[in-house]
Amino acid sequence: MSSENPNIAVQAVLNELVAELHAKAACEKIGLTLQSFADILLDVGAKYAGSGSPGEIRTFFLSLRVDELALARACAAGIEAAWEIFLTRFREKLYLSALRIAREDSAARDLADNLYADLYGTSAREGKRVSKLASYTGRGSLEGWLRTVLAQEYVNRYRRTRRLVSLDEESEEGVQFRAPEPSATAAVDSRLAQATDEVLALLPAEDRAVLSAYYLDGRTLAEIARMLGVHESTISRKIDKLAKSLRKQIMASLSRRGMSRRQAEEALEVDVRDLQVDIRRSLTQESSSAAFSEKRVEAPVREGVREGEG
Amino acid sequence: MPNVPKIVRERLRVANPVQAEHPNPNVLTAFAESSLSQRERADVLEHLSRCGECREILVLALPASEPVQVVTDKRSPSWLAWPTMRWAFASAGVLAIALFGFLQYGRHNASTMMAKKEADATVEARNEQPPQIGQDYGKSTEEQTLQSPDKPKRKAPPLEMDKRATAFAPNAELAKDFSNRTIAGPLAHGPRQIYQQQQSGNVQQVPATVLALNAPEMKQQASGGKAADLRPPVSDESVQVLASKPDVNSQALDSVVAKNQVSSERSAADSEVSRAKSAPAPAGPPVGSLSNARSLQTAAATPGWTINAGRLQRSFDQGTTWQDVKVISSPDSGGGLELAVAERNGLKDSVKRNNNKKEQSTPLVFRAVAANGPDVWAGGAGAALYHSFDAGAHWSRVVPSSPNGSLTGDILKLEFRDPQNGTIATSTGEVWSTRDNGQTWQKQ
């Protein structure tokens, strides 16, 4: 097994830390033994920090939220005391988070209840309950993890239901929406696409993520900022700067591909119009990102335009 | 926010298939809480840049309570953030520069513009004076102009008269002003005997030249009427009033006050005082008693000068109407100069001397004009350079010369910083300068 060596390294570090972490996690209260907790930590460490140096592994372990990890794993193991604590702390929050994500009471209840079932482990395998909490690794807060799981569940469910609906939608409006798309793509000069790809590929991943979130997903600056954990004005400046430099760089790239400046300008100018239509279309066709009704999609776009004017 | 070209959106969407599997909720949560290592964070960012689904999950999973707080917290300090502050800095800078410029301009005014503006105010009076004298006094303008005093004599008397004028102080200020005006009037062009009479103490016989000084006031009251129309109201009666000592003939003085609005009287009178003082030494330091307010008041009467198609033109109403000024000088320019103001409508006949016909036959083509109050320089083709001490009423030709020769070519540029210091640039590339109001010239 290739993971044996890393496991040894992790084990070595863990041996020094496990007692400290066990005490920190207050495992005694929820009835988690030192040995079982050490196994959990070894598992987590091997998964995420196996290739690191001893120092990195140590840092990794110390950064884990071991108390929440212990609680979650105790719940997963079916320890009733742990469940009580979990429900006291998270039941209400779970529902509120679901409501925020689904934005509708019945859907939120549905979402939350389904997650409860998963967390509790209704599905049994080999006679043992399999709880979703067993997959929590303490890398982030348990509350954050719960929200993420809810969101993931919501997105997946929306996508499933959308697939069912989409056949009807396509029969009604899909033709008129989809027909222009291939021709539009084909009409784009291949040099322009190449040049754009080249420029985008040179951007840092974060910049591309910001651009996609802003221009594709129609996210607000505040949302992007919170998503990346930075200040809103940082995102504002970044987008401003990127939009300007992108144009220049694509122009330069096009001229390297033998386009005259005028041609390049025209190629770029052709399509700045119809921003709303474009984004809506791209979102409705991009199944993964079309998680909202059309109304919801328009709102951030308009906000983006307004900010652009201001 | 600026738009990116559509192709950018297109390629962001199309050309980024998600390669790796989605980060699990643990990693996404840790990413959102900024607790991933650099390497892991970079991996997640790379995935996020390609995966709209994970971006969506991330946004949906954002903590609920924060948004309102975060937004408000972050927006309020943004007023002090750099993007806002840089405009504040820029506008502050512009403001500072404007203020500096304004102060500098004011200082410049104080040193150079003062004497200029004060003297300007008398221009109008002078222009109307000659006919006035002719009318009231029975003298022809020709006689007067022929009798114009030459410069040295012109300079001496006003100082004395000024002192005497202040001696009249027991009466009203107005009295003083009138006295001063009697002195100031003849400065540029009045007949010499006026000075003689005044110097001999015979103040009551001060001639009616004073009367002419009423003209600007009258004109101000009549607001825009032609100068010629304004003259008749000034009667012989008022001549006597003005000519006589205020304390002797105070009744008459009152009648004058009644006729003229005190305010306009005062402002014009002030300008006369200033001219009386500044005329003897035009480039001297500004008279201390003169305030800027006076300068501003008198500025209204300052004639504007321009060159239009080679003709020298003058305006007394801030450029609303312009009248041609014919520049004629006698060959013996040191002595009698002559005025010929020809208004465009031709109502007023210019007084011409025979020996000037030659010049009229070949009209002068002017290229440049420079004025410091009544002190006007005009230059043009064929080394023509004319100088007027009295706002264009009289002209004398000046030929700048130095031991190495005299000015040649067309005069293209005239600059007089003040009545004393000026430079001339010619089409032949010569630059001449004077530091004594054109008495001597240096070629540079």
Side-chain angles (χ1 to χ4, degrees):
Chain A
M1 290 285 278
S2 61
S3 64
E4 271 180 5
N5 276 346
N7 276 353
I8 291 167
V10 171
Q11 185 73 60
V13 176
L14 191 58
N15 286 340
E16 301 168 17
L17 288 173
V18 68
E20 182 193 338
L21 293 174
H22 187 253
K24 189 177 157 193
C27 292
E28 300 298 339
K29 231 195 304 184
I30 51 176
L32 205 62
T33 62
L34 183 63
Q35 185 53 51
S36 55
F37 189 57
D39 289 345
I40 294 165
L41 288 176
L42 182 63
D43 188 35
V44 171
K47 188 172 179 185
Y48 293 112
S51 57
S53 67
E56 284 171 346
I57 295 169
R58 187 183 169 83
T59 312
F60 172 79
F61 277 126
L62 290 176
S63 72
L64 283 181
R65 295 177 178 252
V66 283
D67 52 341
E68 292 185 338
L69 175 62
L71 178 65
R73 292 303 174 95
C75 290
I79 301 172
E80 286 302 318
W83 262 112
E84 278 175 28
I85 296 173
F86 178 84
L87 290 177
T88 317
R89 282 175 62 183
F90 295 109
R91 186 183 192 113
E92 190 65 20
K93 284 177 179 172
L94 195 64
Y95 173 71
L96 288 175
S97 298
L99 185 61
R100 213 178 72 80
I101 290 168
R103 305 193 312 151
E104 192 251 314
D105 192 61
S106 65
R109 284 195 181 282
D110 194 27
L111 196 63
D113 289 346
N114 271 331
L115 183 60
Y116 267 124
D118 285 347
L119 293 177
Y120 191 73
T122 46
S123 60
R125 195 179 299 160
E126 297 171 5
K128 287 174 76 181
R129 286 186 333 194
V130 178
S131 167
K132 199 168 178 104
L133 280 168
S135 65
Y136 176 66
T137 58
R139 298 219 60 189
S141 69
L142 182 54
E143 190 185 334
W145 179 82
L146 287 170
R147 283 197 309 268
T148 307
V149 172
L150 274 176
Q152 195 179 38
E153 182 62 28
Y154 179 81
V155 168
N156 287 339
R157 186 184 297 188
Y158 179 88
R159 195 170 51 191
R160 277 200 300 273
T161 52
R162 196 192 168 280
R163 279 204 187 115
L164 293 175
V165 175
S166 66
L167 288 174
D168 295 335
E169 280 178 352
E170 274 178 42
S171 65
E172 288 171 14
E173 56 184 66
V175 177
Q176 70 194 58
F177 268 113
R178 291 209 172 181
E181 181 64 20
S183 63
T185 315
V188 174
D189 193 316
S190 64
R191 286 181 295 180
L192 183 58
Q194 285 168 10
T196 309
D197 287 348
E198 178 188 285
V199 171
L200 286 176
L202 290 173
L203 287 178
E206 183 172 343
D207 288 359
R208 269 181 282 127
V210 168
L211 283 175
S212 299
Y214 190 78
Y215 289 107
L216 285 187
D217 307 348
R219 294 288 169 210
T220 65
L221 295 178
E223 281 173 329
I224 299 171
R226 292 176 62 216
M227 192 171 99
L228 298 177
V230 295
H231 197 280
E232 189 179 331
S233 62
T234 310
I235 299 296
S236 170
R237 280 198 298 274
K238 188 191 279 288
I239 292 176
D240 203 21
K241 210 175 80 185
L242 279 173
K244 284 172 189 161
S245 69
L246 273 176
R247 173 168 287 274
K248 265 185 225 162
Q249 288 171 9
I250 293 173
M251 292 282 287
S253 184
L254 283 175
S255 71
R256 280 199 299 276
R257 287 175 163 77
M259 253 194 206
S260 74
R261 184 170 182 81
R262 188 185 173 80
Q263 282 174 316
E265 294 248 10
E266 279 171 2
L268 279 177
E269 290 305 329
V270 159
D271 40 32
V272 189
R273 288 163 251 138
D274 308 326
L275 173 64
Q276 289 206 8
V277 172
D278 172 58
I279 282 195
R280 192 188 304 164
R281 188 192 300 159
S282 65
L283 286 177
T284 47
Q285 290 183 5
E286 179 92 359
S287 57
S288 57
S289 52
F292 298 114
S293 65
E294 306 255 307
K295 205 174 167 189
R296 169 75 199 276
V297 170
E298 276 178 15
V301 173
R302 254 185 261 121
E303 189 169 341
V305 171
R306 198 166 56 241
E307 281 163 3
E309 288 165 357
Chain B
M1 277 294 135
N3 279 327
V4 292
K6 188 173 144 194
I7 185 68
V8 173
R9 288 193 282 269
E10 182 77 18
R11 301 315 294 175
L12 278 172
R13 183 165 59 85
V14 170
N16 287 324
V18 179
Q19 293 161 343
E21 62 182 37
H22 299 298
N24 71 39
N26 287 289
V27 174
L28 279 182
T29 307
F31 176 87
E33 293 171 357
S34 300
S35 53
L36 285 180
S37 69
Q38 288 292 331
R39 188 164 39 83
E40 282 175 305
R41 187 175 173 83
D43 289 344
V44 174
L45 276 172
E46 182 64 40
H47 181 87
L48 284 176
S49 72
R50 297 161 183 271
C51 179
E53 189 174 336
C54 285
R55 289 196 300 270
E56 172 119 41
I57 290 171
L58 208 51
V59 171
L60 283 175
L62 288 173
S65 57
E66 272 183 54
V68 181
Q69 293 170 355
V70 167
V71 169
T72 50
D73 285 349
K74 285 178 179 176
R75 287 209 177 146
S76 52
S78 75
W79 282 102
L80 289 174
W82 177 235
T84 311
M85 286 304 284
R86 65 183 168 194
W87 293 111
F89 282 132
S91 47
V94 169
L95 209 63
I97 292 168
L99 192 65
F100 180 75
F102 182 74
L103 290 175
Q104 285 296 108
Y105 183 73
R107 212 170 294 161
H108 178 71
N109 269 357
S111 61
T112 63
M113 299 288 282
M114 211 142 165
K116 174 181 165 184
K117 284 192 174 178
E118 287 149 3
D120 288 349
T122 64
V123 166
E124 232 173 300
R126 288 176 183 169
N127 291 336
E128 279 147 36
Q129 193 169 355
Q132 202 71 58
I133 294 164
Q135 185 182 347
D136 298 332
Y137 220 58
K139 267 188 181 178
S140 73
T141 52
E142 279 174 329
E143 283 170 333
Q144 283 185 21
T145 54
L146 285 171
Q147 286 169 351
S148 297
D150 48 13
K151 259 182 270 169
K153 283 179 182 173
R154 209 183 292 161
K155 286 178 180 175
L159 270 181
E160 296 173 17
M161 291 309 295
D162 190 34
K163 284 172 191 163
R164 193 153 10 126
T166 55
F168 297 152
N171 277 330
E173 261 192 336
L174 272 173
K176 179 179 164 188
D177 293 341
F178 284 132
S179 306
N180 278 332
R181 219 184 297 136
T182 63
I183 299 150
L187 257 186
H189 49 79
R192 195 180 302 171
Q193 61 260 46
I194 294 171
Y195 298 118
Q196 291 163 352
Q197 285 165 355
Q198 289 177 339
Q199 279 164 356
S200 69
N202 194 2
V203 180
Q204 287 190 349
Q205 292 177 13
V206 167
T209 49
V210 177
L211 184 62
L213 294 164
N214 274 336
E217 285 99 298
M218 298 302 291
K219 189 175 183 180
Q220 283 167 10
Q221 290 168 2
S223 71
K226 285 184 180 173
D229 302 333
L230 292 169
R231 282 175 205 125
V234 184
S235 65
D236 287 349
E237 186 186 331
S238 63
V239 172
Q240 288 171 358
V241 170
L242 291 166
S244 57
K245 259 189 174 176
D247 53 347
V248 174
N249 203 349
S250 59
Q251 264 188 337
L253 179 67
D254 290 341
S255 70
V256 172
V257 174
K259 280 182 182 175
N260 298 318
Q261 286 182 5
V262 176
S263 60
S264 62
E265 188 86 24
R266 182 70 56 85
S267 67
D270 286 345
S271 68
E272 295 301 335
V273 172
S274 69
R275 191 171 60 81
K277 288 178 180 173
S278 61
V287 182
S289 64
L290 298 169
S291 67
N292 278 333
R294 283 182 185 175
S295 305
L296 288 174
Q297 279 179 329
T298 58
T302 307
W305 293 90
T306 190
I307 305 289
N308 184 2
R311 295 190 310 256
L312 184 61
Q313 293 189 328
R314 177 171 59 180
S315 170
F316 289 110
D317 48 12
Q318 276 86 45
T320 310
T321 61
W322 293 90
Q323 54 182 205
D324 283 0
V325 176
K326 282 193 179 166
V327 177
I328 302 160
S329 75
S330 56
D332 49 339
S333 58
L337 305 180
E338 180 169 302
L339 158 74
V341 174
E343 295 182 9
R344 263 186 201 160
N345 54 16
L347 281 178
K348 191 175 174 186
D349 202 20
S350 58
V351 182
K352 295 158 191 166
R353 284 176 59 144
N354 291 337
N355 55 3
N356 285 330
K357 283 176 183 171
K358 183 174 56 183
E359 285 188 16
Q360 286 174 344
S361 62
T362 55
L364 292 162
V365 176
F366 285 100
R367 295 275 174 80
V369 64
N372 272 302
D375 198 275
V376 184
W377 290 85
L385 178 62
Y386 290 85
H387 183 204
S388 171
F389 293 101
D390 48 11
H394 304 81
W395 294 92
S396 59
R397 175 155 192 188
V398 178
V399 180
S401 57
S402 68
N404 300 328
S406 58
L407 183 143
T408 60
D410 296 350
I411 292 172
L412 300 179
K413 198 176 168 191
L414 265 171
E415 276 183 1
F416 272 78
R417 261 188 301 136
D418 53 67
Q420 298 297 303
N421 299 301
T423 55
I424 297 173
T426 72
S427 59
T428 54
E430 296 174 2
V431 176
W432 293 77
S433 66
T434 180
R435 291 181 183 176
D436 50 9
N437 198 14
Q439 299 294 315
T440 61
W441 292 87
Q442 294 83 40
K443 185 179 177 183
Q444 290 172 352

